Protein backbone atom coordinates (compact mmCIF):
# COMPACT_ATOMS: atom_id res chain seq x y z
CA UNK A 1 0.00 0.00 0.00
CA UNK A 2 3.06 2.25 -0.24
CA UNK A 3 2.90 1.81 -4.00
CA UNK A 4 0.34 4.02 -5.75
CA UNK A 5 -0.81 1.24 -8.05
CA UNK A 6 -1.46 -1.01 -5.08
CA UNK A 7 -3.26 1.77 -3.19
CA UNK A 8 -5.49 2.49 -6.16
CA UNK A 9 -6.24 -1.19 -6.71
CA UNK A 10 -7.14 -1.81 -3.06
CA UNK A 11 -8.71 1.54 -2.16
CA UNK A 12 -6.61 1.49 1.01
CA UNK A 13 -4.01 3.96 2.27
CA UNK A 14 -1.52 3.96 5.14
CA UNK A 15 -2.01 6.72 7.71
CA UNK A 16 0.90 7.29 10.07
CA UNK A 17 1.15 8.93 13.47
CA UNK A 18 -1.45 9.70 16.15
CA UNK A 19 -2.18 13.17 14.78
CA UNK A 20 -2.84 11.95 11.24
CA UNK A 21 -4.87 8.95 12.42
CA UNK A 22 -6.94 11.18 14.70
CA UNK A 23 -7.44 13.67 11.86
CA UNK A 24 -8.61 10.89 9.56
CA UNK A 25 -11.12 9.72 12.16
CA UNK A 26 -12.30 13.28 12.78
CA UNK A 27 -12.87 13.57 9.03
CA UNK A 28 -15.08 10.48 8.94
CA UNK A 29 -12.56 7.95 7.64
CA UNK A 30 -13.14 4.22 8.07
CA UNK A 31 -10.07 2.40 9.38
CA UNK A 32 -9.81 -1.27 8.55
CA UNK A 33 -6.99 -1.76 11.05
CA UNK A 34 -4.91 0.12 13.60
CA UNK A 35 -1.46 -1.00 14.73
CA UNK A 36 -0.01 0.80 17.74
CA UNK A 37 2.75 0.53 20.30
CA UNK A 38 1.43 -0.94 23.57
CA UNK A 39 1.42 2.44 25.33
CA UNK A 40 -0.71 3.99 22.55
CA UNK A 41 -3.18 1.23 21.73
CA UNK A 42 -5.56 2.47 24.43
CA UNK A 43 -6.29 5.59 22.35
CA UNK A 44 -8.33 3.42 19.99
CA UNK A 45 -9.37 0.40 22.07
CA UNK A 46 -13.15 -0.16 21.94
CA UNK A 47 -13.47 -0.74 25.68
CA UNK A 48 -12.21 2.78 26.46
CA UNK A 49 -14.59 5.71 26.67
CA UNK A 50 -14.48 8.67 24.30
CA UNK A 51 -13.50 10.89 27.21
CA UNK A 52 -10.30 8.89 27.61
CA UNK A 53 -9.07 9.76 24.12
CA UNK A 54 -6.97 12.97 24.14
CA UNK A 55 -8.98 14.27 21.19
CA UNK A 56 -12.25 12.44 21.80
CA UNK A 57 -14.56 15.45 21.43
CA UNK A 58 -13.17 16.34 17.99
CA UNK A 59 -13.41 12.76 16.76
CA UNK A 60 -17.15 12.48 17.34
CA UNK A 61 -19.20 9.98 19.30
CA UNK A 62 -19.14 7.30 16.56
CA UNK A 63 -15.44 7.19 15.81
CA UNK A 64 -14.84 3.83 17.50
CA UNK A 65 -17.46 2.26 15.25
CA UNK A 66 -15.27 3.21 12.27
CA UNK A 67 -12.25 1.28 13.51
CA UNK A 68 -11.77 -2.36 12.57
CA UNK A 69 -9.13 -4.50 14.23
CA UNK A 70 -6.74 -2.97 16.78
CA UNK A 71 -3.37 -4.60 17.34
CA UNK A 72 -0.69 -3.90 19.92
CA UNK A 73 2.73 -4.18 18.25
CA UNK A 74 6.12 -3.71 19.92
CA UNK A 75 8.04 -0.65 18.77
CA UNK A 76 10.94 -2.68 17.38
CA UNK A 77 8.52 -4.46 15.03
CA UNK A 78 6.23 -1.54 14.18
CA UNK A 79 8.67 1.32 13.67
CA UNK A 80 10.60 -0.25 10.75
CA UNK A 81 7.34 -0.40 8.79
CA UNK A 82 6.81 3.36 9.03
CA UNK A 83 7.46 5.73 6.15
CA UNK A 84 8.37 8.61 8.47
CA UNK A 85 11.98 9.13 9.56
CA UNK A 86 10.82 9.48 13.16
CA UNK A 87 8.00 6.96 13.66
CA UNK A 88 5.35 7.93 16.20
CA UNK A 89 4.03 4.52 17.10
CA UNK A 90 0.72 4.32 15.24
CA UNK A 91 -0.11 3.02 11.75
CA UNK A 92 -3.63 2.68 10.35
CA UNK A 93 -5.07 1.24 7.15
CA UNK A 94 -7.85 3.52 5.89
CA UNK A 95 -10.39 3.19 3.13
CA UNK A 96 -10.42 5.97 0.53
CA UNK A 97 -12.27 6.77 -2.67
CA UNK A 98 -11.62 9.32 -5.38
CA UNK A 99 -14.38 11.66 -6.52
CA UNK A 100 -15.26 11.94 -10.23
CA UNK A 101 -14.27 15.28 -11.75
CA UNK A 102 -17.84 16.25 -12.55
CA UNK A 103 -18.76 15.82 -8.87
CA UNK A 104 -15.67 17.61 -7.49
CA UNK A 105 -16.37 20.75 -9.50
CA UNK A 106 -19.77 20.97 -7.84
CA UNK A 107 -18.18 22.19 -4.61
CA UNK A 108 -18.49 25.99 -4.15
CA UNK A 109 -14.78 26.36 -3.31
CA UNK A 110 -12.13 24.21 -4.99
CA UNK A 111 -8.33 24.19 -4.88
CA UNK A 112 -6.42 22.76 -7.85
CA UNK A 113 -2.87 21.47 -7.45
CA UNK A 114 -0.95 21.64 -10.72
CA UNK A 115 2.36 19.74 -10.82
CA UNK A 116 2.90 20.10 -7.07
CA UNK A 117 5.42 17.31 -6.59
CA UNK A 118 6.36 17.55 -2.93
CA UNK A 119 3.93 15.42 -0.88
CA UNK A 120 4.50 17.44 2.28
CA UNK A 121 3.53 20.66 0.49
CA UNK A 122 0.53 19.00 -1.16
CA UNK A 123 -0.66 17.72 2.21
CA UNK A 124 -0.24 21.14 3.79
CA UNK A 125 -2.41 22.67 1.04
CA UNK A 126 -5.09 20.07 1.76
CA UNK A 127 -4.99 20.85 5.47
CA UNK A 128 -5.42 24.58 4.80
CA UNK A 129 -8.24 23.84 2.35
CA UNK A 130 -10.17 22.04 5.08
CA UNK A 131 -9.48 24.86 7.54
CA UNK A 132 -10.63 27.51 5.06
CA UNK A 133 -13.85 25.68 4.26
CA UNK A 134 -13.01 24.47 0.75
CA UNK A 135 -14.98 21.44 -0.35
CA UNK A 136 -12.75 19.77 -2.95
CA UNK A 137 -9.13 19.36 -3.97
CA UNK A 138 -8.20 18.39 -7.52
CA UNK A 139 -4.70 17.10 -8.27
CA UNK A 140 -3.84 17.32 -11.96
CA UNK A 141 -1.52 14.97 -13.85
CA UNK A 142 2.03 15.29 -12.57
CA UNK A 143 1.00 16.12 -9.00
CA UNK A 144 2.13 13.89 -6.15
CA UNK A 145 -0.35 11.32 -4.84
CA UNK A 146 -2.55 12.85 -2.16
CA UNK A 147 -3.12 9.41 -0.62
CA UNK A 148 0.58 8.66 -0.01
CA UNK A 149 1.73 8.34 3.62
CA UNK A 150 3.76 11.57 3.50
CA UNK A 151 0.96 13.60 1.91
CA UNK A 152 -1.50 12.30 4.50
CA UNK A 153 0.89 13.25 7.29
CA UNK A 154 1.24 16.73 5.80
CA UNK A 155 -2.55 17.01 5.77
CA UNK A 156 -2.78 15.74 9.37
CA UNK A 157 -5.12 13.05 8.05
CA UNK A 158 -7.76 15.60 7.05
CA UNK A 159 -7.78 14.60 3.37
CA UNK A 160 -10.66 12.23 4.10
CA UNK A 161 -12.94 15.22 4.76
CA UNK A 162 -12.65 16.60 1.21
CA UNK A 163 -13.78 15.53 -2.22
CA UNK A 164 -10.50 14.34 -3.79
CA UNK A 165 -10.06 14.07 -7.54
CA UNK A 166 -6.82 12.97 -9.23
CA UNK A 167 -5.25 12.38 -12.61
CA UNK A 168 -6.92 14.76 -15.06
CA UNK A 169 -5.19 17.28 -17.29
CA UNK A 170 -5.16 20.94 -16.32
CA UNK A 171 -7.11 21.80 -19.46
CA UNK A 172 -9.88 19.30 -18.68
CA UNK A 173 -10.10 20.40 -15.03
CA UNK A 174 -10.38 24.10 -15.85
CA UNK A 175 -12.90 23.43 -18.61
CA UNK A 176 -15.11 21.51 -16.16
CA UNK A 177 -14.74 24.21 -13.50
CA UNK A 178 -15.67 26.97 -15.93
CA UNK A 179 -18.62 24.94 -17.15
CA UNK A 180 -19.80 24.57 -13.55
CA UNK A 181 -19.74 28.35 -13.09
CA UNK A 182 -16.48 28.81 -11.21
CA UNK A 183 -14.36 31.92 -11.40
CA UNK A 184 -10.92 30.34 -11.83
CA UNK A 185 -8.03 32.15 -10.14
CA UNK A 186 -4.38 31.28 -10.64
CA UNK A 187 -1.64 32.19 -8.20
CA UNK A 188 1.43 33.84 -9.70
CA UNK A 189 4.11 36.31 -8.53
CA UNK A 190 3.18 38.73 -11.33
CA UNK A 191 -0.61 38.68 -11.16
CA UNK A 192 -3.00 41.19 -12.68
CA UNK A 193 -4.55 41.90 -9.27
CA UNK A 194 -3.58 41.73 -5.62
CA UNK A 195 -5.21 39.69 -2.89
CA UNK A 196 -7.46 42.57 -1.85
CA UNK A 197 -8.86 42.85 -5.38
CA UNK A 198 -10.14 39.30 -5.70
CA UNK A 199 -13.63 39.15 -7.20
CA UNK A 200 -16.61 37.93 -5.25
CA UNK A 201 -18.43 34.91 -6.66
CA UNK A 202 -20.59 32.04 -5.46
CA UNK A 203 -18.16 29.55 -7.00
CA UNK A 204 -14.41 30.04 -7.08
CA UNK A 205 -11.46 27.78 -7.81
CA UNK A 206 -7.84 28.50 -6.91
CA UNK A 207 -5.04 27.02 -9.04
CA UNK A 208 -1.61 26.72 -7.41
CA UNK A 209 1.37 25.18 -9.13
CA UNK A 210 5.01 24.32 -9.18
CA UNK A 211 7.17 27.04 -7.61
CA UNK A 212 10.09 26.55 -9.97
CA UNK A 213 8.15 26.53 -13.24
CA UNK A 214 5.05 28.58 -12.45
CA UNK A 215 1.64 28.01 -14.04
CA UNK A 216 1.46 26.06 -17.28
CA UNK A 217 0.20 27.47 -20.55
CA UNK A 218 -3.05 25.57 -19.94
CA UNK A 219 -3.44 27.19 -16.53
CA UNK A 220 -2.78 30.64 -17.96
CA UNK A 221 -5.27 30.25 -20.79
CA UNK A 222 -7.90 28.44 -18.71
CA UNK A 223 -8.13 30.79 -15.72
CA UNK A 224 -10.09 34.03 -15.47
CA UNK A 225 -7.74 36.08 -13.34
CA UNK A 226 -4.16 36.01 -12.02
CA UNK A 227 -3.59 37.06 -8.42
CA UNK A 228 -0.37 37.82 -6.57
CA UNK A 229 0.51 38.26 -2.91
CA UNK A 230 2.41 41.44 -1.97
CA UNK A 231 5.95 40.66 -0.80
CA UNK A 232 8.74 42.76 0.57
CA UNK A 233 12.12 42.87 -1.20
CA UNK A 234 14.11 40.65 -1.64
CA UNK A 235 11.44 37.91 -1.43
CA UNK A 236 10.12 37.01 -4.88
CA UNK A 237 8.03 33.92 -4.10
CA UNK A 238 6.41 31.96 -1.27
CA UNK A 239 6.26 28.27 -0.57
CA UNK A 240 3.26 26.88 -2.46
CA UNK A 241 1.53 25.74 0.72
CA UNK A 242 1.92 29.15 2.35
CA UNK A 243 0.70 30.99 -0.75
CA UNK A 244 -2.26 28.67 -1.12
CA UNK A 245 -3.29 29.19 2.51
CA UNK A 246 -3.15 33.00 2.18
CA UNK A 247 -5.20 32.96 -1.01
CA UNK A 248 -7.77 30.42 0.19
CA UNK A 249 -8.54 32.57 3.22
CA UNK A 250 -8.76 35.61 0.96
CA UNK A 251 -11.24 33.75 -1.24
CA UNK A 252 -13.17 32.64 1.82
CA UNK A 253 -13.53 36.31 2.81
CA UNK A 254 -15.25 36.95 -0.56
CA UNK A 255 -17.99 34.40 0.14
Amino acid sequence: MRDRRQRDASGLAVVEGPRAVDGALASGAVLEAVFARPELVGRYAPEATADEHPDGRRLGADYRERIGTISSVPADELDPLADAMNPQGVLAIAQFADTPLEAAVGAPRVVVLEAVRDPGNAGAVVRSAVAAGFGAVIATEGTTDLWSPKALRGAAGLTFGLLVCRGHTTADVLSELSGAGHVCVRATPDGDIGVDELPSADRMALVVGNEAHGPSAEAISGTDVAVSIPMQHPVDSLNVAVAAAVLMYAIRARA
Side-chain angles (χ1 to χ4, degrees):
M1 282 173 284
R2 298 181 188 283
D3 181 278
R4 179 167 180 166
R5 290 171 298 177
Q6 296 295 329
R7 283 195 295 270
D8 290 348
S10 64
L12 298 172
V14 177
V15 187
E16 292 191 15
R19 185 174 184 82
V21 172
D22 293 353
L25 285 169
S27 300
V30 175
L31 307 185
E32 292 207 348
V34 174
F35 306 91
R37 294 176 190 164
E39 68 270 21
L40 294 174
V41 73
R43 294 169 63 98
Y44 311 102
E47 63 271 14
T49 67
D51 291 339
E52 291 177 297
H53 192 291
D55 209 10
R57 180 176 295 181
R58 183 171 75 111
L59 303 189
D62 71 331
Y63 79 92
R64 295 194 187 282
E65 299 170 11
R66 292 183 276 108
I67 299 177
T69 60
I70 303 171
S71 301
S72 176
V73 184
D76 60 350
E77 296 180 20
L78 183 63
D79 290 357
L81 302 177
D83 177 74
M85 292 184 64
N86 297 302
Q88 295 180 296
V90 177
L91 295 177
I93 308 301
Q95 299 175 8
F96 75 87
D98 287 324
T99 299
L101 179 58
E102 56 270 21
V105 301
R109 295 287 185 265
V110 179
V111 61
V112 179
L113 304 181
E114 186 192 38
V116 176
R117 295 188 172 89
D118 182 86
N121 280 338
V125 173
V126 169
R127 185 176 180 180
S128 294
V130 176
F134 277 53
V137 56
I138 300 175
T140 66
E141 289 181 343
T143 293
T144 189
D145 185 14
L146 298 180
W147 298 115
S148 72
K150 187 172 181 179
L152 288 171
R153 289 199 306 277
L158 299 170
T159 313
F160 297 90
L162 289 175
L163 301 177
V164 177
C165 179
R166 302 176 296 161
H168 297 275
T169 66
T170 298
D172 286 347
V173 168
L174 293 177
S175 175
E176 287 286 338
L177 285 165
S178 295
H182 283 270
V183 173
C184 296
V185 178
R186 74 177 183 275
T188 179
D190 54 353
D192 304 319
I193 63 171
V195 175
D196 295 337
E197 301 170 280
L198 277 168
S200 177
D202 291 336
R203 292 190 170 196
M204 294 185 73
L206 172 66
V207 182
V208 294
N210 185 285
E211 291 178 54
H213 304 293
S216 68
E218 290 80 7
I220 293 172
S221 64
T223 47
D224 301 298
V225 63
V227 62
S228 60
I229 300 169
M231 288 173 274
Q232 296 293 318
H233 179 78
V235 181
D236 62 358
S237 67
L238 294 173
N239 172 277
V240 64
V242 173
V246 171
L247 293 170
M248 283 190 284
Y249 272 95
I251 288 172
R252 174 182 177 173
R254 303 299 188 274

